[in-house]
Amino acid sequence: MDYVLNLILIIIVAIFVNNVVLAQFLGICPFLGVSKKVDTASGMGMAVTAVLVVATIVTYLIQVYVLNAFGLEYLQTIAFILVIAALVQMIEIILKKTMPALYQALGVFLPLITTNCCILGVAILVIQKDYDLLEGIIYALSTGLGFLLAMVLFAGLREQLELVNVPKIFAGVPIALVTASLLAMAFMGFSGVDGGLKILFGLQ
């Protein structure tokens, strides 16, 4: 029962409390670059979520059965980067074949998933937090959903800003950064929720 409650806690914390973009400030490049429209933002969020889950599974198995088994832990970063780059190439090919409209909409930002620090960050955090494979998958999926939530919320706000008469000095990137800051402050309201849930679940 404690294991299930711990998984629920991982989900809530990853999506709301330690949101990968708004609390940990990872993946800012696509967050700002592909958030002008809700449809492209949601597509990017889903692509990142898929890569996160697959990359976490593969990197976890490599860490446990290759790096740890042969004493090659010092190669973790290089190995993980190579795996993530290969996975992104596969996702890019699949999207180009199955969803050409989304592929065109994402444009240059799709290859940039390779250098999206949240992918590598989550893969490393799963190992550092000493999660097992299931916990790692849940954490990666929840982090991806948190990224998707932040992207969609921010894109919705930016779409609304297009309908508002913004002063010229704030038009474009400045008002986007102000909006992102306010959104991050709003998510700060979830801070401390994890501690309360641990007490509620009897995990502390």
Side-chain angles (χ1 to χ4, degrees), residues 7-141:
L7 292 179
I8 295 171
L9 186 63
I10 288 172
I11 294 169
I12 295 171
V13 170
I15 295 176
F16 299 106
V17 182
N18 289 330
N19 186 280
V20 68
V21 179
L22 301 174
Q24 300 185 69
F25 307 111
L26 299 175
I28 296 295
C29 178
F31 177 69
L32 293 174
V34 199
S35 57
K36 291 182 180 179
K37 299 292 180 184
V38 172
D39 54 350
T40 53
S42 58
M44 184 66 169
M46 288 186 286
V48 168
T49 302
V51 174
L52 271 172
V53 173
V54 177
T56 298
I57 295 171
V58 176
T59 52
Y60 180 89
L61 295 175
I62 288 173
Q63 179 73 39
V64 172
Y65 295 107
V66 178
L67 301 182
N68 290 351
F70 295 98
L72 301 173
E73 292 89 349
Y74 59 91
L75 293 176
Q76 182 190 72
T77 303
I78 296 173
F80 285 11
I81 289 173
L82 291 174
V83 168
I84 291 166
L87 288 172
V88 170
Q89 291 300 314
M90 289 172 57
I91 296 286
E92 189 174 355
I93 292 168
I94 292 169
L95 281 181
K96 191 174 183 179
K97 295 284 186 183
T98 59
M99 290 181 279
L102 178 59
Y103 175 80
Q104 291 293 332
L106 294 176
V108 70
F109 292 99
L110 187 57
L112 283 178
I113 296 178
T114 306
T115 56
N116 189 339
C117 52
C118 82
I119 309 290
L120 179 61
V122 168
I124 292 175
L125 282 172
V126 166
I127 305 302
Q128 289 182 347
K129 291 174 180 289
D130 201 26
Y131 286 151
D132 59 30
L133 183 56
L134 179 58
E135 288 174 332
I137 293 171
I138 295 296
Y139 177 70
L141 179 61

Side-chain angles (χ1 to χ4, degrees), residues 22 25 28-29 31-33 35 154 157-158 161 166 169-185:
L22 301 174
F25 307 111
I28 296 295
C29 178
F31 177 69
L32 293 174
S35 57
F154 189 48
L157 291 172
R158 292 187 74 175
L161 285 172
V166 178
I169 195 169
F170 280 109
V173 175
I175 193 65
L177 292 174
V178 171
T179 306
S181 302
L182 293 173
L183 190 59
M185 288 176 66

